[in-house]
Each structure stands twice: as structure tokens, then as C-alpha cells.
Amino acid sequence: MTTITSSPTIILIAGHWLGAWAWDEVLEHLNTGHSRVIAMTLPGLDEDDPKRAVKTLDDQAAAVLEVLAGLGPDQPATIVAHSGANAPVSLVLDRHPELVGRVVWVDSGPAAAGSVFAPDLPEEVEELPVPPLDVLAQQASLEGLSTEVLERFRARAVPEPGPVLRQPVELTNDARRKVRTTLVCCSIPSAQVLELARSGHAVFAEVANIEHLDVIDLPTGHWPMWSRPRDLAEVIQSAARTN
């Protein structure tokens, strides 16, 4: 975990295969004189943890809640969730929405109740490494990423625990939908995302249920923390000020 101190608090959580290191370039551009920033490595994504392959979404959500609980009740944090971090962060919003002043979804969005990232992943698969880049490019946009960045991604990526990918997201608390939300649309334009949400598309349907929603277009690929770190930092900073 990387921490820069001050307040209010911004918690940065990257998606699958990534740890706190994924936010290094964004941290360089955040105005930390006015914010306390915590970049997290979720359980299961610490390469030095010998038990990381058995970690679950519950473990990841508990780790985020532990950080939130340590901040005190008077300053709800801004959580920034990229990509597959949406599952554990959705659990956090469901279990303790009062601890979150705003959530910023980065090329992502709230998970729907009962959703599973990889429901067909066999039980014997303990972990899922990042796929070859040509396969990854078919799953998510690599726009804006240099060869050097892609090589670093491959070198530092940690396989995602199988239990995280197979566990259903169990949500029961509608108060999660009241948390102020910023949707940062990168690889899919906001107009298309909102249309998919209105049409009930399984991936985006939960967006339509958010009560306080701000939408920002940041056109680039699926990893804007590397392709547009300065711009993403400005978006995050601005969102955090509205807590």
C-alpha cells in the first residue's frame, strides 16, 4: 500500500492483475497538498503473499473497509475503482455506504447483484494470469499504451485469484445507490454507456439505478492511469472536492 498523507482521503484501487504500483503516474499529478491519497493492493494481488491464490471478494472488500474504518466517521472517503475493482467496491458500498462520500468508477461501473466475473472458470483453476497482449486487446482497449508500458504491465501483473473471479457479488442494501457517483468513460463513450444502462444491458444496468450521477468522458483505452495520468488525476481531484 502506498500512502500520501493529508485530507480528505482518496483511495485508489486498480483492476485485475494490478496493485498499488499501477497508480504511480497518477500520484505524480495529484495535488497531494490538499488530499490524503492511499493506493491499495487488494488481497490476492500481493505477489509476496504465499496464500494469495485463495483470497476472495469478501477478503478484498474487508481490506477496503478496514482502511475506511481507520479514517474516522467525519470524513467519508472518495473511492476510485478501476475495471474489475468494481466487484469488491460494490460490496463495500453495499455493506457500509456511510463510509464513502463518493465513488469514481474508471472505465467501469457498479456491479449488479448476483453478477460473477467468470462463472465458467473451472474450480481447479487456482489463478488467472494476464492473457497475451493480442488476446487482451480483444477484451479491452489498449489505446494510448506504449510498448514500454505494455511490457511493464506484463512484467508486473499478478495472476488474479480464482475465488475472486468465481464469487457472486451479493448485494442487498439499496443505500449503495445513494452514494454520489462519478462515471469516467474511457474506452466506451458516455452516451453509449448511458444508452446501454437505459436498455437494461447486464453489464451497465446498475448505472441506471444511481441516484446522484456525474458522467465524464476521458477518451482513451481501458487503462487511463497509464495513457492519460495527468488528466485522470485532475478528474479524480475534482470529484473528491465534491464529497
Side-chain angles (χ1 to χ4, degrees):
M1 184 184 299
T2 301
T3 304
I4 296 176
T5 58
S6 191
S7 63
T9 300
I10 299 170
I11 300 174
L12 305 172
I13 308 174
H16 292 163
W17 311 299
L18 304 176
W21 64 269
W23 299 101
D24 286 351
E25 292 163 81
V26 172
L27 289 171
E28 291 177 4
H29 298 292
L30 280 172
N31 182 359
T32 55
H34 300 286
S35 301
R36 180 185 188 206
V37 183
I38 300 172
M40 290 191 66
T41 296
L42 291 174
L45 293 170
D46 179 355
E47 63 182 352
D48 295 325
D49 179 2
K51 297 181 179 180
R52 60 175 186 73
V54 301
K55 301 301 183 183
T56 67
L57 284 180
D58 289 323
D59 293 326
Q60 295 185 339
V64 179
L65 286 170
E66 182 178 1
V67 172
L68 289 170
L71 300 176
D74 297 330
Q75 185 64 59
T78 293
I79 295 183
V80 180
H82 164 255
S83 189
N86 69 329
V89 171
S90 291
L91 290 177
V92 168
L93 297 177
D94 190 74
R95 295 172 183 179
H96 284 284
E98 75 282 359
L99 298 179
V100 183
R102 178 171 291 271
V103 59
V104 180
W105 302 110
V106 178
D107 217 37
S108 185
S115 62
V116 182
F117 184 83
D120 299 323
L121 187 68
E123 285 292 330
E124 61 268 21
V125 176
E126 295 184 356
E127 58 185 22
L128 189 68
V130 64
L133 293 178
D134 58 338
V135 176
L136 186 64
Q138 297 173 15
Q139 302 171 354
S141 172
L142 303 181
E143 180 183 342
L145 302 184
S146 67
T147 300
E148 179 183 359
V149 168
L150 290 171
E151 290 176 352
R152 182 184 64 187
F153 183 7
R154 293 281 299 163
R156 300 198 65 176
V158 174
E160 196 73 22
V164 167
L165 301 174
R166 286 187 291 262
Q167 182 178 337
V169 180
E170 297 181 4
L171 305 172
T172 60
N173 185 2
D174 288 345
R176 71 185 186 277
R177 296 166 173 165
K178 299 180 183 294
V179 176
R180 286 172 289 184
T181 300
T182 299
L183 200 66
V184 183
C185 300
C186 301
S187 60
I188 303 177
S190 62
Q192 184 178 353
V193 170
L194 295 176
E195 179 57 35
L196 289 168
R198 286 190 290 267
S199 68
H201 189 285
V203 175
F204 301 101
E206 191 65 18
V207 171
N209 297 319
I210 297 171
E211 295 189 13
H212 309 284
L213 177 65
D214 297 318
V215 180
I216 296 173
D217 280 293
L218 187 66
T220 187
H222 187 58
W223 288 270
M225 65 275 283
W226 302 330
S227 59
R228 297 185 64 178
R230 181 187 297 274
D231 296 325
L232 181 57
E234 291 177 355
V235 167
I236 292 169
Q237 199 101 46
S238 177
R241 292 192 190 104
T242 63
N243 247 8

